[in-house]
Structures are given as structure tokens and as C-alpha cells.
Amino acid sequence: AFLAFISVPSVRVRTERSRENHRMRRADREHRRDAGPVTLEIRALRPDDRAAWDPLWHGYLVFYEEDLPDDITDLTWSRFFDDDEPMGAIGAFLDGNLIGICHHHFHRSTWARTTYCYLEDLFVSPDSRGGGTGRALIEATADLARAAGAEKLYWHTRTDNATARALYDQVATHV
């Protein structure tokens, strides 16, 4: 597995290369302006988002070739809204439609005074990739980790997940 981390207090997500990519995406969006304005909103998922979350969650599981029982999916969903659980979920909404999800949880570490934040699941619908949604979800998770006082934000992915690794190489440090 590939492991990446961001030291949260000093996170600097945008690089010169990503600034250029951002300018190119902005120019592309301006080029498509006749389609009308679009708004990407990153926010915590709510219980009423379940129907929109399910297809993305199942797409994520298919990608990783996992087949979880329905009761585990139901349990996972319920944990996001349980105040006693250190787990959370955010979503990326494009003009009100959920196009990306990110799940995280906080835990203690034997190597830190405070907590770490583990970004466990990140998935963007295939037809919405390449527009900065994954990066926006990582940045939002880093903001949550920072606000919670976590010392580190980290995640794992398969070594053969070249698309994800290309993004992670821009925003994180390999460990």
C-alpha cells in the first residue's frame, strides 16, 4: 500500500504545478461558461444524503473489489452521525448533486501528544474526475483535522492506483 501524510499544522496543499493546473481548469471553466455557473460545495454529509451517498460508496467498494454486507454499510452510515464515534463524512456537491465523498476518523497515536486524522475513503464519481473535486475534499479534510487539533492527516491507497497517486504526489509526503 502507498502511504501519504500531511503534517497538519504546516499543510501547504497548493503547489506551483497545481496553481498552473488550477489556472488551466479556470480557463476551461470560463470557456464552458455558456453552460451556466456551477458551484462546488464541500460540506458534512447529513442523514438525508443517504440515497445520494449509496451509489458513490458502492462505486468505491467495486473499485477496491470489496463486497461488504448491507449491515456493515448501514453501520458505517450510522457512525457518521453518532456523536460518540470519532468518524465523519463530507461530500462534494456540484450544483446540489453529490459527486464525491470522503470519510475520516480521529485516533490517538503513540507518536503524538494529540490525535491523528485518518482519511479512510475518498471517491469521486468517474464522470466528475479531473476537475479538482478530490483535491477539494482532501483540503476540506485537512481543515477539519487542523480545527480538531490533529497533528497529522494521512491515508493509504493501492500502489497501482495511479490516478489517486498522481494527486497525492502533489499534496502530500510519502512515508
Side-chain angles (χ1 to χ4, degrees), residues 93-113:
F93 293 80
L94 183 63
D95 287 339
N97 298 306
L98 184 61
I99 63 166
I101 56 174
C102 188
H103 308 142
H104 62 276
H105 58 87
F106 294 95
H107 65 88
R108 295 190 185 277
S109 170
T110 59
W111 293 25
R113 287 184 185 90

Side-chain angles (χ1 to χ4, degrees), residues 15 19 30 36 53 62 66-67 82 86 100 117 130 132 134 144 146-147 153-154 163 165 169 173:
T15 63
R19 281 190 188 114
E30 289 170 2
W53 174 83
V62 166
E66 292 294 331
D67 185 23
D82 183 341
C117 179
L144 290 169
R146 196 176 299 107
L153 168 65
Y154 72 102
T163 303
R165 289 190 61 183
D169 287 347
T173 303

Side-chain angles (χ1 to χ4, degrees), residues 65-76:
E65 300 172 347
E66 292 294 331
D67 185 23
L68 293 181
D70 290 343
D71 66 314
I72 298 296
T73 291
D74 293 340
L75 178 62
T76 297

Side-chain angles (χ1 to χ4, degrees), residues 44-133:
L45 293 180
R46 300 184 299 239
D48 63 340
D49 291 322
R50 175 68 189 261
W53 174 83
D54 272 333
L56 295 174
W57 175 242
H58 289 290
Y60 178 79
L61 294 176
V62 166
F63 178 81
Y64 278 104
E65 300 172 347
E66 292 294 331
D67 185 23
L68 293 181
D70 290 343
D71 66 314
I72 298 296
T73 291
D74 293 340
L75 178 62
T76 297
W77 181 256
S78 71
R79 286 177 171 162
F80 297 145
F81 309 103
D82 183 341
D83 291 338
D84 293 329
E85 291 285 346
M87 190 175 276
I90 59 175
F93 293 80
L94 183 63
D95 287 339
N97 298 306
L98 184 61
I99 63 166
I101 56 174
C102 188
H103 308 142
H104 62 276
H105 58 87
F106 294 95
H107 65 88
R108 295 190 185 277
S109 170
T110 59
W111 293 25
R113 287 184 185 90
T114 66
T115 59
Y116 284 0
C117 179
Y118 177 49
L119 189 159
E120 189 165 6
D121 309 309
L122 175 66
F123 185 78
V124 175
S125 66
D127 59 340
S128 298
R129 293 181 184 157
T133 302

